[in-house]
Amino acid sequence: GDIWDGDAIEVVISTDPKLPMEREYLSNKDFQIGFSPGDGGINRPSIWIWQKKRSPRNSDIKAVRKVDPQGYIIEAKVPWSELGVFKPKNGIKVGFDVSLDDADVKFKREAQLVWSGDYFFYKDPNMWGELEFIK
């Protein structure tokens, strides 16, 4: 569950398009999902949903590929069923944010880049951007 304290991608998403974007509270339809590439050793690539306090069922990190010494690509999947009954449809808009965590020293995050919010993006949907599903 401490994926954020290493190299990771964190995604927050609301699965209720009717919730107001300017709210400052999380609902039971908001989720934070972490994707870790692992460390190439004992810590394997992993996915974690904090609201469920577990790895999502039927999820998988298909590939972690080094692109160069500075970066890599993570290819992963998480079924929509892990986020309740939400089904994305063309034109639906939901709250969304993503962050990149960087840790070159084990178990010590050194930097975090957040797309729309700031350090508190994981608990304050008021800071999230908007994701629109399109075909």
Side-chain angles (χ1 to χ4, degrees), residues 11-17 27-35 47-52 54-57 59 77-88 94-96 131 133:
V11 172
V12 289
I13 187 168
S14 175
T15 60
D16 186 346
S27 85
N28 63 354
K29 294 184 178 181
D30 296 327
F31 296 92
Q32 179 186 10
I33 308 166
F35 300 87
I47 305 171
W48 189 259
I49 296 181
W50 279 274
Q51 287 72 16
K52 295 191 174 198
R54 64 172 170 77
S55 293
R57 292 181 180 98
S59 65
K77 70 174 186 173
V78 175
W80 285 110
S81 60
E82 280 295 296
L83 307 181
V85 297
F86 177 73
K87 301 283 187 235
V94 295
F96 176 85
L131 173 68
F133 292 94

Side-chain angles (χ1 to χ4, degrees), residues 93-113:
K93 297 177 184 179
V94 295
F96 176 85
D97 209 346
V98 61
S99 75
L100 304 175
D101 303 327
D102 179 47
D104 295 326
V105 177
K106 281 190 175 192
F107 308 116
K108 184 175 190 283
R109 180 173 61 196
E110 298 167 84
Q112 182 180 57
L113 300 171

